């Protein structure tokens, strides 16, 4: 899945927000741990990745591009 498509999925969880790969999850987007889990579950549903196998990576993610990289790596 493309970076742009993954950013759009993330943005769908954050109504009214544009999402770019360089954005900080916490500082730019205001995502807390519950918000992160919401994003992860939507990504799992829409991309078919096994989120539980990558939960540690998602928790450590700081930027949107980190989430994109996890999803793209999980899809390989």
């Amino acid at each position: 899945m493309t970076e742009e498509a993954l950013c759009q999925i993330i943005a769908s969880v954050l109504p009214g927000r544009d999402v770019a790969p360089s954005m900080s999850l916490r500082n730019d987007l205001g995502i807390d741990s519950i918000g992160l889990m919401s994003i992860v579950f939507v990504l799992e549903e829409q991309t078919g990745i096994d989120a539980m196998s990558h939960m540690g990576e998602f928790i450590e993610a700081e930027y949107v591009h980190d989430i994109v990289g996890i999803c793209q790596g999980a899809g390989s």
Side-chain angles (χ1 to χ4, degrees), residues 34-64:
I34 294 172
L36 178 62
M37 291 303 101
S38 296
I39 289 169
V40 169
F41 292 132
V42 169
L43 286 166
E44 181 177 49
E45 182 179 274
Q46 293 192 22
T47 66
I49 65 167
D50 179 9
M52 289 311 202
S53 296
H54 300 279
M55 196 55 71
E57 295 170 73
F58 283 118
I59 290 169
E60 292 178 9
E62 293 184 29
Y63 294 91
V64 172

Side-chain angles (χ1 to χ4, degrees), residues 1-71:
M1 186 164 274
T2 68
E3 183 176 78
E4 181 179 330
L6 290 165
C7 285
Q8 288 176 350
I9 293 170
I10 294 168
S12 75
V13 181
L14 308 167
R17 301 294 307 254
D18 289 326
V19 174
S22 62
M23 296 177 102
S24 165
L25 296 170
R26 287 155 191 83
N27 295 330
D28 295 329
L29 298 174
I31 296 171
D32 60 11
S33 58
I34 294 172
L36 178 62
M37 291 303 101
S38 296
I39 289 169
V40 169
F41 292 132
V42 169
L43 286 166
E44 181 177 49
E45 182 179 274
Q46 293 192 22
T47 66
I49 65 167
D50 179 9
M52 289 311 202
S53 296
H54 300 279
M55 196 55 71
E57 295 170 73
F58 283 118
I59 290 169
E60 292 178 9
E62 293 184 29
Y63 294 91
V64 172
H65 65 77
D66 296 331
I67 299 289
V68 169
I70 296 164
C71 292

